[in-house]
Amino acid sequence: MDATLDSTLYTPPDTERDTGAALTPPLRDMVYGQLRAAVLDGGFGPRERLAEMRLAARFGVSRTPVREALARLLADGLIERGDGGFFVTIPNLAQLRDLYELRVTLELRGIARAIDDPSVRHEPGVLKAELDRWYAMRERPPDPDPRFVVQDERFHAELSRASGNLALTDALVAVSERIRRVRMYDFLTRDRVETTITEHIEIMEAVRDGRLDDGHRALHAHVGDSMAVVLERAQRAMTQMALHADRL
């Protein structure tokens, strides 16, 4: 997986490099944003140390913005401090079980709140735009790729956003990012990708057509309708991730 970061985007003024002058927010934010994306998208191995000097050279910046970015990622829970430095956080099985359970709860609540309160309506424009994307993917399914997890996360975030509770959506996005490094290895086969596309369309069509109970059941089955299913998926994804890391 190519995680090269274009250092030309991050060349600082000579004064910052040479004298340690105060950072401008755009530089700080760019380094954080690009490093965060690389962490989330599998740009670093599970046992790869995130060394300040190496990252600074990669970005073409001083160590100061890298140090600040690492501190923010540590606060985000996306990296952790280990022997000799920082490493990407990989949840253990117990943590994954808890995070998966939280994800299921947040997913289902987006539809359940509309079932509980008839005044809640899913935004038709959001549903249509996302459905059109998945109709196109059904016509031309993408090749299996760990990065497909980003498309999957977008579907679930948009379905949640359409329900109108943005705080719920923000929480779902946050927990999805914390388990992305494991979940991305759930999309390595063509049948898994195609099944996901089919199920996404089924869920969203049911919600669009007002068949909320059907949509809720389909979503529950899709994300895991029992803790046994959730745990099995977490274990399978962790195994795939370990095999991938051993090949690097």
Side-chain angles (χ1 to χ4, degrees):
M1 190 177 299
D2 183 7
T4 301
L5 300 175
D6 186 354
S7 62
T8 61
L9 294 176
Y10 308 103
T11 302
D14 289 342
T15 54
E16 191 278 328
R17 184 190 296 273
D18 296 336
T19 68
L23 293 173
T24 60
L27 176 62
R28 179 187 300 115
D29 292 343
M30 281 194 297
V31 173
Y32 167 72
Q34 292 294 325
L35 185 55
R36 188 176 192 275
V39 166
L40 285 172
D41 294 342
F44 301 101
R47 295 179 290 274
E48 182 177 354
R49 187 166 68 90
L50 305 180
E52 285 183 13
M53 290 187 65
R54 186 168 66 248
L55 291 172
R58 183 173 180 173
F59 283 104
V61 299
S62 71
R63 293 171 63 182
T64 304
V66 171
R67 187 178 301 118
E68 293 192 5
L70 290 171
R72 292 174 67 180
L73 291 170
L74 182 65
D76 292 342
L78 297 178
I79 65 173
E80 60 190 11
R81 197 185 301 273
D83 292 339
F86 294 103
F87 299 84
V88 175
T89 299
I90 305 297
N92 60 37
L93 191 56
Q95 292 168 330
L96 271 177
R97 181 186 59 213
D98 292 345
L99 290 169
Y100 268 61
E101 184 176 11
L102 175 58
R103 176 188 175 227
V104 171
T105 300
L106 294 170
E107 294 267 13
L108 296 177
R109 185 57 197 159
I111 298 179
R113 63 190 301 268
I115 294 174
D116 295 342
D117 183 355
S119 70
V120 174
R121 296 283 189 274
H122 284 77
E123 175 57 47
V126 175
L127 298 180
K128 181 182 185 308
E130 192 61 16
L131 264 174
D132 287 345
R133 283 199 331 113
W134 290 90
Y135 287 149
M137 276 190 266
R138 183 172 61 184
E139 292 300 314
R140 300 186 63 179
D143 292 330
D145 188 322
R147 292 185 181 91
F148 185 77
V149 72
V150 176
Q151 302 297 330
D152 179 77
E153 287 178 13
R154 172 172 168 173
F155 167 85
H156 292 282
E158 290 298 281
L159 178 61
S160 175
R161 185 167 73 90
S163 75
N165 186 328
L166 297 185
L168 193 66
T169 303
D170 288 345
L172 175 60
V173 169
V175 73
S176 295
E177 288 182 342
R178 291 186 65 186
I179 60 178
R180 180 188 295 178
R181 281 298 302 265
V182 176
R183 285 195 66 244
M184 65 196 307
Y185 296 103
D186 195 26
F187 297 104
L188 300 181
T189 62
R190 183 168 298 278
D191 68 305
R192 181 71 179 104
V193 171
E194 293 180 352
T195 296
T196 297
I197 293 170
T198 299
E199 291 178 356
H200 282 184
I201 290 173
E202 176 189 358
I203 294 163
M204 197 162 270
E205 283 183 339
V207 174
R208 178 201 62 188
D209 297 341
R211 295 181 286 109
L212 297 180
D213 288 334
D214 291 343
H216 190 274
R217 281 191 294 270
L219 180 60
H220 200 180
H222 176 69
V223 298
D225 53 9
S226 72
M227 186 45 57
V229 170
V230 168
L231 190 58
E232 187 275 332
R233 288 180 180 174
Q235 290 175 314
R236 182 180 62 211
M238 286 190 74
T239 299
Q240 291 291 342
M241 184 188 68
L243 290 172
H244 180 82
D246 289 342
R247 291 196 295 267
L248 296 179

